[in-house]
Amino acid sequence: MSGTNRGWVLESYPIGDDFDAALKLRDIAMPDPGPNQMLVRSLYLSLDPANRGWMMMPTYIPQVPLGATMWGFVLGRVESSNVPGFAPGDLVSGFGAWADYCLMGAEMANKVPDLGGFPLYAAQSLFGLSGGTAYVGVLDIAKAKAGEVFVISGAAGSVGTLAGQIAKIQGCTVIGIAGSPEKCKWLVDELGFDHAIDYRRENVAERLGELCPEGVDIYFDNVGGPLTNSIATKMALHGRIVLCGSMAKFDNPGPELDLGAILLNRVVMTGFILIDHFDRLDVANAALAKWVGEGKLKHHADIVEGLEHTVEAFGRLFTSGAPHKGKLLVRVDPAAN
Ligand SMILES: NC(=O)c1ccc[n+]([C@@H]2O[C@H](COP(=O)([O-])OP(=O)(O)OC[C@H]3O[C@@H](n4cnc5c(N)ncnc54)[C@H](OP(=O)(O)O)[C@@H]3O)[C@@H](O)[C@H]2O)c1
């Protein structure tokens, strides 16, 4: 296919969170799908903290090489396809590039299921990565049960909003940790969290001591760093810490966790990555849709308009107290709903 294409090219590795210097919007070639690939028109880009890790180091996927168009999760429409079972016009969600048009390989793309009454962007704000991580983390890894105290950091974000509400549905007492009074109020008033703590203005350990003197049964850790260190001292006997993300480590690598507190309370810590649990996505998506239908779960997306604003928006993920709530998305095609 001919035509113009723009993409965010990684021209240098970011220093700190200076993404503007590292990523440049360039005119790039319209990709030509090879065997088992398809050309996809991007409709939405999912902005995820993990994208930063992919730029910085090899993780569970290879590091993004310099000169490549930055990659991430893309929701789009197939333009042309060499993949059996995928045809022009199909809506797909998968691994692609931050560009107007990208290639998707068969192994990293899924057809978007019938979304019923949900808007298209719910494929990224509710289902898939965010909802799947929240569902698996709360139910399969933490095994949250009624009556337990469930504390979650990054609570007003994409995974946090869903995970906190899922724990509430299980009957837990849910305490969210977020970076502004407005986010804390929203968590309690709109999403039904029992309490919220503003980690930038309050002493988290002290507040936990007041709110749950018997200790924290489950800590769902979205950030790592100093916050995790203080919450680790407040765990209940045989508590569980679910390690979901470590955003704080990008800027603040130390101090190391005090393992003495973990030992004394015989706390179990489990890290997980959703890619090991993709077989649970159908079950997760069905449950998430049901809970929304029953009025028990709310999902929220902050949508940034235009590919050209991608990198500016991406920086908000690493800005404590940034105003966005829920899932941060970029609408690439203005006609997408
Ligand atoms: N394990 C997996 O498979 C998996 C899958 C998806 C995501 N994740 C991880 O889950 C975490 C949440 O992802 P998300 O997509 O839901 O992101 P997000 O919460 O939507 O966005 C990031 C938010 O985290 C807060 N934050 C940023 N830096 C912080 C810091 N140093 N200390 C405390 N809070 C900080 C900010 O809100 P405040 O204003 O509240 O500070 C920011 O808005 C990330 O660590 C991500 O890598 C893991």
Side-chain angles (χ1 to χ4, degrees):
M1 184 181 137
S2 60
T4 56
N5 192 19
R6 298 168 305 158
W8 283 98
V9 176
L10 186 66
E11 295 193 347
S12 60
Y13 288 118
I15 297 171
D17 54 8
D18 189 359
F19 305 113
D20 283 339
L23 288 149
K24 300 290 178 190
L25 187 62
R26 302 291 186 206
D27 291 332
I28 58 171
M30 184 65 72
D32 197 12
N36 237 10
Q37 288 184 324
M38 52 199 153
L39 177 67
V40 172
R41 164 64 170 145
S42 305
L43 303 177
Y44 286 96
L45 306 182
S46 167
L47 297 185
D48 299 298
N51 303 148
R52 183 171 177 183
W54 302 346
M55 287 181 231
M56 306 305 296
M57 65 199 124
T59 53
Y60 41 89
I61 57 164
Q63 183 178 14
V64 185
L66 291 181
T69 309
M70 180 60 200
W71 52 60
F73 290 102
V74 177
L75 178 62
R77 179 173 282 110
V78 176
E79 292 282 326
S80 63
S81 170
N82 295 330
V83 181
F86 288 80
D90 284 348
L91 289 170
V92 287
S93 177
F95 214 55
W98 288 3
D100 291 309
Y101 293 87
C102 65
L103 292 179
M104 277 192 197
E107 68 290 351
M108 288 299 271
N110 291 299
K111 274 192 204 176
V112 175
D114 180 4
L115 291 170
F118 290 100
L120 179 58
Y121 64 78
Q124 288 183 324
S125 66
L126 174 63
F127 304 114
L129 180 71
S130 303
T133 303
Y135 184 93
V136 167
V138 174
L139 296 179
D140 297 352
I141 311 294
K143 300 191 192 319
K145 296 190 293 294
E148 292 189 308
V149 173
F150 180 99
V151 173
I152 183 159
S153 53
S158 141
V159 173
T161 49
L162 297 172
Q165 292 180 89
I166 293 171
K168 193 74 204 144
I169 291 167
Q170 303 314 304
C172 296
T173 297
V174 175
I175 303 172
I177 299 179
S180 72
E182 201 244 325
K183 283 183 179 177
C184 287
K185 186 171 181 335
W186 180 72
L187 289 173
V188 173
D189 293 352
E190 289 294 316
L191 301 190
F193 284 38
D194 295 283
H195 309 281
I197 303 174
D198 178 347
Y199 71 95
R200 296 171 69 217
R201 293 167 184 80
E202 298 180 270
N203 180 315
V204 173
E206 262 177 39
R207 288 283 288 133
L208 287 176
E210 291 159 14
L211 293 172
C212 51
E214 305 295 318
V216 174
D217 296 300
I218 298 168
Y219 172 44
F220 193 114
D221 184 6
N222 275 322
V223 302
L227 205 46
T228 300
N229 292 349
S230 47
I231 295 169
T233 65
K234 292 290 163 190
M235 297 303 295
L237 188 63
H238 300 300
R240 287 99 78 201
I241 297 180
V242 174
L243 301 171
C244 178
S246 54
M247 271 180 293
K249 289 248 168 187
F250 287 119
D251 292 324
N252 183 357
E256 291 302 319
L257 186 60
D258 173 6
L259 292 175
I262 303 294
L263 169 65
L264 284 179
N265 285 317
R266 286 82 108 192
V267 172
V268 174
M269 298 177 75
T270 311
F272 80 105
I273 302 281
L274 186 66
I275 53 173
D276 299 333
H277 304 270
F278 277 168
D279 59 329
R280 295 285 284 153
L281 281 181
D282 286 347
V283 174
N285 289 343
L288 293 161
K290 177 170 163 289
W291 288 326
V292 174
E294 292 169 350
K296 294 177 178 166
L297 182 74
K298 292 181 182 166
H299 66 111
H300 185 85
D302 260 317
I303 300 177
V304 173
E305 301 292 342
L307 180 69
E308 60 278 15
H309 297 299
T310 301
V311 166
E312 170 206 325
F314 181 63
R316 292 181 210 164
L317 290 176
F318 307 98
T319 308
S320 290
H324 79 274
K325 301 199 260 325
K327 182 79 199 176
L328 190 58
L329 297 173
V330 176
R331 190 180 346 241
V332 181
D333 182 341
N337 74 347

